[in-house]
Amino acid sequence: MPNEVNRPLTAMSKDILFHTIFPHETSKTWVVFVHGAGGSSAIWFRQIKAYKKEYNVLLLDLRGHGKSNNLVQNFVDNNYSFNNVSKDIIDVLDHNNITSAHFVGISLGTIIIRNIAEIAPQYVSSMVLGGAVTRFNTRSNTLVYLGNTFKHFLPYMWLYRLFAFIMMPKKRHKESRLLFVREAKRLCQKEFIKWFKLAMDVNPLMQYFKEKDIDIPILYIMGKEDHMFLGPVKEMVKRHKNSVLQTIHHCGHVCNVERPDLFNQHSLAFIAQQNR
């Protein structure tokens, strides 16, 4: 039987993202979790137990987030791009001699995973994209425009709370809102602005991804109440032969937190299918 109580291994270095590994006793398969903007690896607390029973698990904090906030000062002064952020993760994989993995992401993290599949597909066995961002609609474009206009004048947490409430407005979304706001407090104003500018590049990049199918299997997991992003994901799945969609009732944007039972069930079944 795999040892379910393996101690996690953490890595702290000024040259690499903070990350935690849960090694499996027998499996050679890796699963890498990528959180969204303003979050941290803490967002996956309801996935770790289920996943580490089956696979080697790697959690990481993106540049400027979580415990990478103070550890990667060399990243903080650089211009942010999806390619640079993706290469941060590839560096973590190389550091740990991980040649391929299944990737699980949430929100803006799904774009980073899709970008890794574009620039270094050899690392990506499959993708599970929860609360996926494939295009900003009129409402989200308006939010980004307003945020970009006032980002230097208003405290970033005001903007972040507003975005969180508009994306997750229902009472049952409250836990997700509070979790994201709590994690976002670790960001400084300067970091928030850099990630906010990165969001401005979403539509051009995703338009390219929409036009180009990819051979890597993709599972989209979306909440039925993810009113800002579900529609564009449905359009994407119709166009791409290797993509499938699972929707979860009574669930909003952060589906891995709101309905972890179904998120874990769907995602683990999908990954197991790829390993056959």
Side-chain angles (χ1 to χ4, degrees):
M1 290 289 290
N3 184 357
E4 296 180 17
V5 293
N6 282 342
R7 296 180 61 186
L9 308 174
T10 59
M12 301 178 68
S13 166
K14 66 179 180 179
D15 298 319
I16 198 167
L17 297 177
F18 176 85
H19 58 280
T20 303
I21 286 174
F22 294 86
H24 194 277
E25 194 172 70
T26 58
S27 177
K28 297 184 182 302
T29 302
W30 283 90
V31 178
V32 177
F33 288 86
V34 182
H35 64 80
S40 78
S41 54
I43 196 73
W44 303 111
F45 70 104
R46 288 180 173 163
Q47 279 65 60
I48 295 172
K49 182 177 179 181
Y51 267 83
K52 72 178 185 178
K53 289 180 181 178
E54 306 291 336
Y55 306 113
N56 299 285
V57 172
L58 187 149
L59 309 174
L60 53 84
D61 289 341
L62 296 173
R63 58 167 68 185
H65 291 69
K67 292 183 179 180
S68 291
N69 191 21
N70 297 319
L71 297 173
V72 286
Q73 292 301 319
N74 55 320
F75 294 153
V76 174
D77 296 328
N78 293 339
N79 291 325
Y80 285 11
S81 69
F82 279 110
N83 278 355
N84 286 341
V85 173
S86 299
K87 288 173 182 175
D88 293 345
I89 298 174
I90 293 171
D91 287 344
V92 174
L93 300 181
D94 289 342
H95 178 77
N96 290 283
N97 298 313
I98 300 172
T99 57
S100 66
H102 302 277
F103 282 77
V104 181
I106 194 73
S107 195
L108 202 68
T110 63
I111 302 177
I112 298 169
I113 292 173
R114 178 61 182 84
N115 196 61
I116 293 173
E118 187 67 29
I119 66 175
Q122 68 273 19
Y123 288 95
V124 185
S125 300
S126 73
M127 294 176 268
V128 176
L129 308 181
V133 179
T134 59
R135 176 169 55 82
F136 284 162
N137 60 15
T138 302
R139 182 179 298 182
S140 47
N141 273 325
T142 301
L143 284 175
V144 171
Y145 173 78
L146 292 174
N148 191 54
T149 302
F150 295 107
K151 65 180 182 291
H152 292 291
F153 306 103
L154 294 176
Y156 77 95
M157 286 307 303
W158 290 12
L159 293 172
Y160 199 87
R161 286 191 179 97
L162 174 63
F163 295 156
F165 184 79
I166 292 175
M167 284 195 299
M168 300 169 272
K170 293 183 178 291
K171 184 177 180 179
R172 58 174 158 258
H173 305 162
K174 183 178 180 180
E175 182 182 6
S176 299
R177 288 198 305 271
L178 294 178
L179 177 62
F180 262 58
V181 168
R182 183 176 72 242
E183 291 299 318
K185 287 179 179 178
R186 298 188 183 190
L187 287 175
C188 64
Q189 183 94 2
K190 184 178 179 181
E191 278 296 297
F192 176 82
I193 290 173
K194 288 182 177 181
W195 278 90
F196 202 93
K197 287 181 178 177
L198 192 62
M200 304 290 287
D201 297 331
V202 166
N203 273 358
L205 183 64
M206 295 312 298
Q207 182 61 36
Y208 170 75
F209 291 158
K210 181 179 179 180
E211 297 300 326
K212 182 181 179 183
D213 202 351
I214 194 167
D215 290 334
I216 300 170
I218 305 174
L219 170 64
Y220 292 93
I221 304 180
M222 305 293 293
K224 282 276 192 180
E225 297 170 352
D226 193 349
H227 58 95
M228 292 180 69
F229 300 115
L230 178 57
V233 166
K234 289 180 177 179
E235 295 176 14
M236 186 78 83
V237 171
K238 287 180 181 178
R239 298 173 67 99
H240 294 170
K241 63 181 181 180
N242 290 312
S243 298
V244 293
L245 170 63
Q246 286 280 1
T247 55
I248 301 177
H249 290 275
H250 308 299
C251 182
H253 182 59
V254 192
C255 46
N256 68 301
V257 172
E258 294 178 33
R259 295 300 305 273
D261 51 344
L262 291 176
F263 183 92
N264 295 347
Q265 175 186 322
H266 294 318
S267 57
L268 283 167
F270 176 77
I271 292 174
Q273 185 178 30
Q274 310 316 311
N275 288 335
R276 291 173 185 168

